[in-house]
Amino acid sequence: MAYRGSVRPYVNFNAKHDAEVLHKAMKGIGTDEDTILMLLTARSNDQRQQIKAAYKKAYGKDLVSALKSELGGLFESLIVALMTPPVSYDASKLHKALKGAGTDDEVLIEILASRTGEQIKDIIKVYKKEFGGKLEKDICGDTSGHYQKLLVILLQGNREEGVDEEKTEKDAKDLYAAGEGKFGTDEEKFITILGNRSAEHLRKVFDAYKKLSGSDIEDSIEGETTGNLENLLVAVVKCARSVPQFFAEGLYKSMRRAGTDDDTLMRIMVSRSEVDMLDIRASFKKMYGVSLYSTIQEDTTGDYQKALLYLCGGND
């Protein structure tokens, strides 16, 4: 597999040198934001962790705390996000989505629909370590019904492998019978099939479903379900079709509404920068006829904008 991230490990990396550069950028009156953002967006997350360790060794204080005291606003939030290990970042986003009054379902749906089984298992471990609770228990405390059941299935991180040719037709027929084919919807069927089959298998099922019913599975889900369950099922379908497309759409929506949804914009740019940003950019351009780069340029300003553009990695 070719590397599809926009941020790659810096070749002549020297953690001690980088720590010194950051120290100088924050020393004295005023802060050199340009130096900070250019350096940190040009290092992989793993390298940033090494810089953090070198900084503490040299200066006896925490790099993230130092950055927080010098920076502010969205730019500060973005830099702190870049300094957080990916699994901890996901765990903290889920924790924030669950704690306090109300639940940020958009975050639960985005993370649990798009991450691999291995990633989800890691997130559960880190969540327990960092927040002392069980992610599944916390999710169950905040959700209900079929929506909760599908979240719990996704939390198992145990999708089947490969394509079971014998099952594709049957799954398509079962989904059709559970939805459009009957009065009322059999949600259990949707949840079991969409929650457990592999992405490759599901793509075949969706093709068979389209032949059978004449419509896309997304349209059926939207017609048959509502609310969080609908949003989660649609996200699972979209991720089975193409994860980069799912994120391209998320980015477009975060910027093309009245007002920018910076939380979503930042979360996707940070969490996909070392995974599939190049594919997200290609999908974005294909779907919307404009580049992700120019859309970020139009929608954001200042150092925050500059850092996001470096994470984007280029104009298409």
Side-chain angles (χ1 to χ4, degrees), residues 160-217:
E160 296 154 11
E161 307 270 312
V163 179
D164 183 342
E165 296 291 353
E166 315 221 313
K167 259 198 226 155
T168 49
E169 282 296 323
K170 184 182 182 313
D171 282 348
K173 284 183 180 133
D174 283 350
L175 287 171
Y176 182 70
E180 290 187 54
K182 67 182 272 201
F183 182 70
T185 311
D186 177 3
E187 288 94 349
E188 298 281 338
K189 268 279 180 284
F190 275 86
I191 288 167
T192 307
I193 294 171
L194 294 175
N196 287 300
R197 307 284 190 265
S198 72
E200 308 85 66
H201 180 89
L202 286 173
R203 289 195 287 273
K204 293 241 159 79
V205 172
F206 302 155
D207 291 343
Y209 186 93
K210 178 134 193 181
K211 280 198 190 105
L212 200 69
S213 76
S215 59
D216 282 323
I217 184 97

Side-chain angles (χ1 to χ4, degrees), residues 267-282:
R267 195 173 57 246
I268 299 177
M269 293 304 292
V270 169
S271 62
R272 308 314 288 186
S273 59
E274 291 182 51
V275 186
D276 52 5
M277 186 55 69
L278 301 182
D279 298 322
I280 292 170
R281 273 167 44 187

